[in-house]
Amino acid sequence: MPVRRDFNRSVAEYRAALGLAEAAGGLAPAVAPELPVRQRQLITRLAQAAAVITPGWLGRPLTDSTDDLPLGRSDGTQPLAVRIGVCNVGGDYAFAAVVNLLGTGHLFIDADITDDRVLSVIRSTLVRLLAARGTDSCRPLLVDPTGGDRLAPFTPWSRPD
């Protein structure tokens, strides 16, 4: 199945890039100053809030094992918030970057689709939403105004009725 192959390739490339980034980070000297107590407390509260509003597939790091997460168990009655990345403040201080989907689940990204970071956000958001909601209650409609094929692996799920 081409979607699974593309997905597995994307995951492998992401993990390889993450490994390179971690290796490069280990070579750089630690120059980040210690954050004030109030900022550390705020970062902790933001991390806790992100964990609460993005349960399961919606918020778990995709680099972690997801074997124990059930598929398609989130119901449509909850507001949709989804993790799109991590905000690194410095040192060991970070929290999940979370966005609420607009209206009943709309996400608009005003950026260049040829930028790999943009494509990464789109792909990870789709993986999270489809895994959490399933295709019965979540039907993505992808629009690439450039007419390119960067979103092609996800078109089987985005066909309107």
Side-chain angles (χ1 to χ4, degrees):
M1 187 173 210
V3 172
R4 175 147 320 265
R5 183 188 68 233
D6 290 342
F7 172 75
N8 289 338
R9 189 188 72 221
S10 295
V11 168
E13 289 174 4
Y14 173 78
R15 288 181 175 159
L18 184 62
L20 290 172
E22 288 175 357
L27 298 174
V31 294
E34 185 65 25
L35 295 174
V37 172
R38 286 185 54 160
Q39 287 182 355
R40 290 194 310 261
Q41 291 171 340
L42 177 61
I43 292 166
T44 300
R45 287 179 49 209
L46 289 170
Q48 292 167 342
V52 169
I53 64 173
T54 57
W57 278 99
L58 296 173
R60 183 107 164 252
L62 294 178
T63 54
D64 291 353
S65 172
T66 53
D67 294 339
D68 62 335
L69 292 177
L71 293 173
R73 297 287 173 89
S74 177
D75 64 24
T77 62
Q78 306 158 330
L80 266 181
V82 65
R83 176 187 179 135
I84 61 167
V86 176
C87 181
N88 290 312
V89 182
D92 294 333
Y93 303 105
F95 57 91
V98 175
V99 295
N100 282 324
L101 298 185
L102 304 173
T104 59
H106 298 86
L107 178 63
F108 179 82
I109 299 175
D110 184 17
D112 187 358
I113 190 71
T114 61
D115 185 337
D116 287 339
R117 296 171 298 180
V118 174
L119 190 59
S120 178
V121 168
I122 293 170
R123 285 180 173 172
S124 67
T125 301
L126 284 171
V127 166
R128 291 175 186 285
L129 291 174
L130 290 170
R133 292 280 173 99
T135 55
D136 293 340
S137 66
C138 178
R139 186 181 57 203
L141 177 59
L142 306 174
V143 178
D144 180 0
T146 66
D149 64 350
R150 304 270 295 183
L151 300 175
F154 294 100
T155 53
W157 292 299
S158 65
R159 292 187 187 121
D161 290 337

